[in-house]
Amino acid sequence: MPSKRPLSRLRDIRDNALSIRDYVGKLDEAGFLSNRLVRDASERCLARMSEAAVKMGPVAEELIPDEDWRALRNLGNILLHDYNNVSVVIVWELISNRLEPLLAKVEQVLSRYPEDRNDL
């Protein structure tokens, strides 16, 4: 059942994306790959972002139609259930190439609503 609080879920995505940005900081790929703490924290944030996308349901596609919500939703299953096969290189690529564009889209939508509003 989709969330009755889609803006709250978008804020969850934003906040976790910002946390990843903070954790990764100025690390390059080698720095990320060699820092297990940053990798683990980033993967946990990605899993929470995935869960927020799941809870948003189809309203996610309505708010941001040009985002690959299916991939984000599936990412959580991979991180949680197939964790032994997670490629840290792919996680790095996702963080370095897809996080900022998603964050910009989410922030653009959120900018249209007051911070204390959770529904549409």
Side-chain angles (χ1 to χ4, degrees), residues 10 41 79 117:
L10 274 182
L79 292 172
R117 185 170 174 185

Side-chain angles (χ1 to χ4, degrees), residues 5-21 45-57 59-61 63-64 67-69 72-73 98-107 110:
R5 304 176 317 148
L7 296 176
S8 179
R9 301 302 179 200
L10 274 182
R11 286 187 201 96
D12 292 341
I13 292 171
R14 176 198 61 198
D15 294 347
N16 280 281
L18 291 172
S19 291
I20 293 170
R21 182 197 281 170
C45 287
L46 288 169
R48 286 192 296 248
M49 291 170 64
S50 174
E51 184 62 19
V54 167
K55 289 181 178 181
M56 284 181 70
V59 74
E61 285 84 0
L63 291 172
I64 306 173
E67 183 58 40
D68 189 351
W69 292 104
L72 182 56
R73 291 177 183 117
R98 307 234 357 238
L99 189 71
E100 290 300 324
L102 172 60
L103 181 58
K105 293 172 194 175
V106 167
E107 287 181 328
L110 289 174

Side-chain angles (χ1 to χ4, degrees), residues 60-99:
E61 285 84 0
E62 293 170 23
L63 291 172
I64 306 173
D66 61 336
E67 183 58 40
D68 189 351
W69 292 104
R70 183 180 181 149
L72 182 56
R73 291 177 183 117
N74 290 338
L75 178 62
N77 285 328
I78 294 166
L79 292 172
L80 295 173
H81 303 293
D82 199 20
Y83 55 86
N84 287 333
N85 294 316
V86 172
S87 165
V88 293
V89 172
I90 291 174
V91 171
W92 169 254
E93 290 298 321
L94 188 115
I95 289 170
S96 47
N97 295 323
R98 307 234 357 238
L99 189 71

Side-chain angles (χ1 to χ4, degrees), residues 20-32 38 92:
I20 293 170
R21 182 197 281 170
D22 288 344
Y23 299 150
V24 172
K26 299 197 184 295
L27 291 176
D28 61 5
E29 182 177 5
F32 178 81
V38 171
W92 169 254

